[in-house]
């Protein structure tokens, strides 16, 4: 009996040790988040082990665990859901079945998150194909009421697609609005105030975000450490100079988000990351680096940010740059939010902040699209 009791206590202690992490007092439902984060960290550990053993790539484990391929389309009386291809790209199509016959509907091109690891990366091709007048007509979508949207890495893709479509004269139909949910928009500064403040806050840790960038840009993972300390943007790296004002959070962030933080600027760095990873300076990968003229042509924007998220400042800086370029911007900031919270508005987590962010997101689209 004593042995069984001791084993039970030990198991509880080990479990508590694994799941417990100190969290900010203002974060939404911390114990629920600890449990969620523990599960996510477990998936990441399995991925790393599979990678180390040579079974499969780290990213493939994440892909298999949460990919849409394992969740079949579910249709009900108001919504028809099908898996199809648009422009040769596999997509999941959601169609509202209500309304009068022949009535045009609003459309949203949505890119889901997942560290650029899940699904297809052919975002531009799918978007341009969908925006063809004959394709919109096929799905009874009003060409004057189409939005582009996405969360996290999907927010990155949505912002990049919005820019490219806006600048492409061969695309006759343009997006009316862009709606970005805690988007990742730059890889030049991994020490913004939000990266410093939230580097160890789940579910998106700073080191994991850097790894996602390197995986996305097909780069050597040994560059994680130089990027973490901003060696790739040291003051002696002149290649980066034209882009420094675009990520200058000291001027782009509101004062309340800058207070207590200093820029991390190395005097001497290494040119290897920028030389080996051209995507670091490519606006197609880092939309925050776009020129003012490009930004000015993009549509009205909704940007959702969360206080306890390493990507908070990416969204806020992009909002500032869009406004400077004359674009109408709505910033929806949640002081108790964390990265991914909108996704967890549903079963089995039902986070309160998730439900609130989802409500605000849908409400803005309903009013502006």
């Amino acid at each position: 009996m004593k042995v069984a009791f001791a084993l039970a206590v030990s198991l509880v202690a080990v479990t508590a040790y694994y799941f417990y992490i100190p969290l900010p007092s203002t974060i939404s439902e911390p114990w629920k988040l600890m449990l969620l984060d523990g599960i996510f960290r477990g998936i990441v550990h399995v991925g790393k082990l599979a990678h180390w053993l040579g079974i499969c790539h780290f990213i493939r484990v994440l892909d298999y665990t949460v990919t849409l391929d394992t969740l079949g389309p579910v249709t009900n009386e108001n919504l028809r859901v099908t898996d199809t291809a648009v422009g040769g790209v596999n997509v999941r199509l959601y169609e509202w079945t209500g309304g009068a016959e022949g009535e045009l509907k609003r459309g949203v091109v949505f890119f889901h998150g997942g560290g650029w690891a899940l699904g297809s990366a052919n975002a531009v091709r799918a978007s341009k194909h969908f925006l063809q007048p004959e394709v919109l007509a096929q799905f009874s979508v009003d060409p004057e009421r189409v939005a582009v949207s996405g969360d996290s890495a999907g927010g990155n893709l949505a912002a990049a697609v919005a820019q490219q479509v806006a600048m492409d004269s061969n695309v006759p139909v343009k997006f009316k609005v862009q709606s970005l949910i805690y988007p990742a928009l730059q890889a030049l500064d991994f020490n913004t105030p939000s990266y410093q403040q939230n580097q160890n806050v789940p579910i998106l840790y700073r080191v994991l975000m850097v790894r996602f960038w390197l995986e996305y840009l097909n780069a050597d993972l040994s560059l994680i450490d130089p990027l973490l300390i901003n060696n790739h943007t040291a003051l002696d790296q002149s290649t980066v100079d034209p882009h420094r004002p675009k990520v200058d959070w000291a001027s782009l962030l509101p004062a309340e988000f800058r207070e207590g933080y200093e820029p991390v600027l190395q005097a001497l760095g290494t040119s290897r990351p920028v030389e080996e990873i051209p995507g670091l300076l490519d606006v197609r990968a880092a939309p925050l680096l776009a020129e003012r003229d490009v930004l000015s042509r993009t549509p009205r924007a909704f940007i959702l940010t969360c206080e306890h998220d390493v990507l908070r400042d990416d969204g806020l800086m992009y909002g500032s740059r869009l406004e400077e370029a004359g674009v109408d911007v709505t910033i929806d900031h949640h002081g108790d939010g964390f990265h991914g919270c909108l996704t967890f508005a549903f079963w089995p987590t039902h986070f309160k902040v998730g439900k609130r962010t989802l409500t605000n997101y849908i409400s803005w689209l309903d009013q502006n699209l």
Side-chain angles (χ1 to χ4, degrees):
M1 179 69 73
K2 290 183 179 179
V3 173
F5 178 75
L7 288 174
V9 170
S10 299
L11 181 61
V12 170
V14 169
T15 302
Y17 177 79
Y18 178 78
F19 281 98
Y20 177 79
I21 52 174
L23 293 174
S25 61
T26 54
I27 206 165
S28 177
E29 301 177 88
W31 285 102
K32 191 185 293 186
L33 179 58
M34 287 181 204
L35 179 61
L36 176 68
D37 177 63
I39 295 171
F40 182 72
R41 280 187 285 118
I43 294 171
V44 171
H45 292 326
V46 170
K48 290 181 177 179
L49 178 61
H51 190 110
W52 181 74
L53 292 173
I55 298 173
C56 67
H57 193 281
F58 161 76
I59 292 298
R60 297 282 71 81
V61 174
L62 298 184
D63 196 4
Y64 178 79
T65 305
V66 298
T67 183
L68 295 176
D69 291 341
T70 62
L71 302 173
V74 179
T75 296
N76 59 42
E77 64 274 13
N78 297 313
L79 188 67
R80 180 168 57 248
V81 185
T82 54
D83 287 340
T84 184
V86 172
V89 180
N90 292 331
V91 301
R92 179 155 291 176
L93 184 66
Y94 298 83
E95 296 179 272
W96 180 54
T97 56
E101 185 176 351
E103 178 183 356
L104 292 180
K105 296 171 276 193
R106 293 176 285 186
V108 178
V109 176
F110 187 89
F111 301 104
H112 61 75
W116 300 285
L118 313 179
S120 171
N122 295 313
V124 175
R125 184 169 64 180
S127 300
K128 289 183 177 181
H129 182 86
F130 184 73
L131 289 174
Q132 294 178 24
E134 61 272 21
V135 176
L136 293 174
Q138 175 188 344
F139 296 113
S140 300
V141 174
D142 187 342
E144 300 295 326
R145 306 179 77 185
V146 186
V148 63
S149 183
D151 67 311
S152 191
N156 166 283
L157 297 174
V161 167
Q163 292 177 10
Q164 293 191 55
V165 167
M167 298 298 292
D168 192 338
S169 59
N170 293 318
V171 181
V173 177
K174 305 298 184 183
F175 291 115
K176 182 179 181 180
V177 297
Q178 56 182 319
S179 185
L180 314 177
I181 304 168
Y182 30 75
L185 299 168
Q186 60 86 29
L188 294 185
D189 190 350
F190 291 107
N191 288 277
T192 64
S194 62
Y195 266 112
Q196 294 183 50
Q197 172 184 300
N198 301 304
Q199 60 184 299
N200 295 314
V201 175
I203 59 172
L204 184 61
Y205 297 92
R206 182 173 68 145
V207 67
L208 182 60
M209 188 64 232
V210 175
R211 176 166 186 160
F212 278 143
W213 271 108
L214 292 176
E215 295 277 9
Y216 177 47
L217 299 175
N218 196 29
D220 188 339
L221 295 182
S222 68
L223 293 172
I224 288 179
D225 288 339
L227 265 62
L228 281 173
I229 60 174
N230 286 355
N231 255 2
H232 60 311
T233 56
L235 295 176
D236 66 334
Q237 301 302 306
S238 59
T239 308
V240 182
D241 288 348
H243 300 288
R244 295 188 193 277
K246 303 168 188 173
V247 294
D248 181 16
W249 56 260
S251 63
L252 292 171
L253 290 180
E256 63 266 30
F257 298 108
R258 305 191 310 262
E259 187 175 352
Y261 295 94
E262 296 292 334
V264 175
L265 295 171
Q266 308 292 346
L268 300 175
T270 173
S271 61
R272 182 187 163 205
V274 173
E275 291 174 351
E276 294 185 7
I277 319 172
L280 291 173
L281 302 179
D282 191 326
V283 296
R284 293 172 297 179
L288 184 58
L289 305 185
E291 299 297 335
R292 181 188 179 101
D293 177 59
V294 174
L295 297 178
S296 69
R297 301 189 189 190
T298 61
R300 174 181 298 180
F302 171 90
I303 302 176
L304 189 152
T305 59
C306 293
E307 180 64 22
H308 307 293
D309 179 10
V310 293
L311 300 181
R312 179 197 70 192
D313 295 345
D314 282 25
L316 294 175
M317 287 191 290
Y318 196 56
S320 295
R321 293 209 61 220
L322 286 172
E323 287 182 332
E324 290 174 356
V327 177
D328 184 79
V329 178
T330 296
I331 297 291
D332 183 31
H333 183 70
H334 296 263
D336 59 343
F338 56 91
H339 190 81
C341 62
L342 186 146
T343 303
F344 303 116
F346 308 98
W347 185 90
T349 50
H350 294 292
F351 274 94
K352 294 176 183 177
V353 67
K355 295 178 180 178
R356 188 185 336 119
T357 54
L358 178 63
T359 297
N360 289 8
Y361 167 68
I362 293 175
S363 176
W364 187 89
L365 280 177
D366 189 44
Q367 294 171 23
N368 292 275
L369 181 58

